[in-house]
Amino acid sequence: MRTLQQWFDSYAVSHQNPTNISIHYICVPAIFFSVVGLFMSIPSGVLNSILPHPIIANWAFVLLVLTMVLFYFRLSVKVGIQMLLFSTFCLVLNYVIAQYVSLVYFSLALFIVAWIGQFYGHKVEGQKPSFINDLQFLLVGPAWVMYKLFGK
């Protein structure tokens, strides 16, 4: 597995333009947030009997726990904590949103709008998105944004 710095250095190659970087600061967390919402929307009957609260009795929580353990905390404890905090925020806010609107439709709309922003940013950058070469960059992007915004 690559080191955190190797991942970030590779990711930075296609993220130099200030406009693209600004777009990423908005759209990457929005995509992550919407994916959490989409996974929370999957029926989770069996999890309801195992886990004590709807915020964690869903497939997003299961996926996030695996992602934290198998990817983020293996890269760096600091990045793992940053992503854990952001993931917790995503779970809680998606739970609140689901009380008022259809979470699946809300998440799907946000996902589409944020990806349009991402592709526009890469058009401005003149570089293809990093995940085209390696899908793991879909996990690196949120960590890169959290790291840049909240603590080097």
Side-chain angles (χ1 to χ4, degrees):
M1 185 169 176
R2 295 183 202 178
T3 67
L4 176 68
Q5 194 58 53
Q6 289 170 324
W7 279 115
F8 284 176
D9 289 346
S10 295
Y11 192 79
V13 169
S14 60
H15 301 88
Q16 299 294 313
N17 182 286
T19 300
N20 187 32
I21 292 170
S22 295
I23 289 170
H24 274 62
Y25 285 168
I26 296 166
C27 291
V28 168
I31 291 167
F32 189 94
F33 181 83
S34 68
V35 169
V36 170
L38 289 168
F39 275 95
M40 284 180 80
S41 300
I42 297 171
S44 55
V46 68
L47 296 176
N48 292 328
S49 61
I50 299 169
L51 299 170
H53 193 278
I55 291 177
I56 62 170
N58 60 71
W59 294 110
F61 177 78
V62 172
L63 185 63
L64 287 169
V65 167
L66 291 172
T67 304
M68 293 300 139
V69 171
L70 298 175
F71 192 77
Y72 291 122
F73 276 98
R74 287 181 64 198
L75 283 178
S76 156
V77 172
K78 185 175 189 171
V79 166
I81 291 169
Q82 289 171 341
M83 290 306 299
L84 178 63
L85 291 172
F86 181 60
S87 296
T88 301
F89 169 79
C90 290
L91 286 167
V92 171
L93 187 55
N94 271 300
Y95 175 76
V96 170
I97 289 169
Q99 306 309 304
Y100 300 99
V101 298
S102 167
L103 187 58
V104 70
Y105 291 128
F106 177 87
S107 298
L108 190 57
L110 181 59
F111 183 83
I112 290 166
V113 169
W115 271 110
I116 290 169
Q118 285 290 93
F119 284 112
Y120 173 75
H122 279 285
K123 181 177 184 221
V124 169
E125 180 82 42
Q127 295 273 350
K128 62 184 177 178
S130 300
F131 76 87
I132 300 293
N133 295 328
D134 188 337
L135 289 177
Q136 291 180 84
F137 280 110
L138 292 171
L139 296 175
V140 173
W144 182 81
V145 170
M146 293 301 122
Y147 190 78
K148 291 277 192 180
L149 290 176
F150 300 113
K152 292 182 179 183

